[in-house]
Amino acid sequence: MRKAIIKKTMITLVILLLVSSSCTKQTSDAISVDLQQGNNDLLYSSFVDKLDYVHLKAGKECLLTGIKKIYFDNDTILIQDSRNEGIFVFSKGGDLISHINCRGQGPEEFLDDDAVAVDTFRNIIYVYDMMSFKINRYTYDGVFISSDKQKFFMRDFSVVDNKLFAFQPCINKMYKRNGIWSYDFGTQKDTTLLEHKREDELFECRSTYIKQINDTIYYYDRNNDYIYVIENNSISTLVKLSLKQFIPISVRKVAAPNPNELYQRAMIFDFCPSNKQFFMSYFIFDEEENYYRYVMMNPKTKDCSVFTELVNDMDSYVVSDPKIFCINGNTWCRIVDQEENSEIITLQILCLKD
């Protein structure tokens, strides 16, 4: 009888240990995110110290229709237009300095400004044309400097210390290289930093892949919901997320999945890092009323909260676009809703709490 009790107790302890280790492993390896758990609004006042505004004087002749990327230099604001109208350069006071839109097939031209990067240290604008695999360099005044031909297709890129960091997040063997690599403009040599090796996943929700703070690049790998950090030509994992609404790999294998297979599934739409926290917005497929959910995470403590709306409770300016741009480790930026026929584009500057 005593042996039976001891045996039963030992079995119970083993089961408890297995359950405990499994839970610990899951908690330590990944942060669980359930986008249906958030019912509250994310208020500006909870993470923003103050709001400032910059008014860009676009004027009647300015063709700027929307903002895909934005860079802040000491005295300059550089904007990539969201509808292929090129790059617009403004002063900090909002005056238009130059418009770079050199369309054509000549050596100083590009067919499309598919991706843009800015070296704010050297004051150089880089424009990548996917059709020709060509990267052109220009000054802030729009003067052509030089051109480089790339061997591999990429979706986006950054430039740090005369090195290009290329990002090809799609897992598609047609592109020959999938992942992240660096390219040294001086030696013309490339180095692989990360490879995506799974079978083709043709479904793609194109949005934000990278954000940069000074010389640090953040990459959100939407294939696995990993956040990577690239510093000094090396890559490391910042955090792994376990998204409950993750789209199964079997669904991603086709470019246009059955809508029923995507229903209530989600994929990252945008993210923005800071010195303290990490903001993420996710797009939920076939959500009838609110397509987005917002997540605020502390990478150090692993604290994570989900919200249904992002609300400005600090003044009367209205911002409908969920996208947030990163200026630096303490400052973010959003685009205020523009009045019809207005010649002013207003940038809302979010000065974050310490």
Side-chain angles (χ1 to χ4, degrees), residues 6 27 136 196 226 258 286:
I6 292 173
T27 305
N136 285 0
H196 296 315
Y226 277 67
N258 186 320
D286 291 324

Side-chain angles (χ1 to χ4, degrees), residues 55-60 62 64 336-346:
H55 305 283
L56 305 179
K57 302 161 191 172
K60 293 182 180 179
C62 182
L64 180 60
V336 174
D337 291 1
Q338 189 176 357
E339 295 181 8
E340 190 174 356
N341 300 321
S342 173
E343 297 178 13
I344 301 294
I345 295 175
T346 301

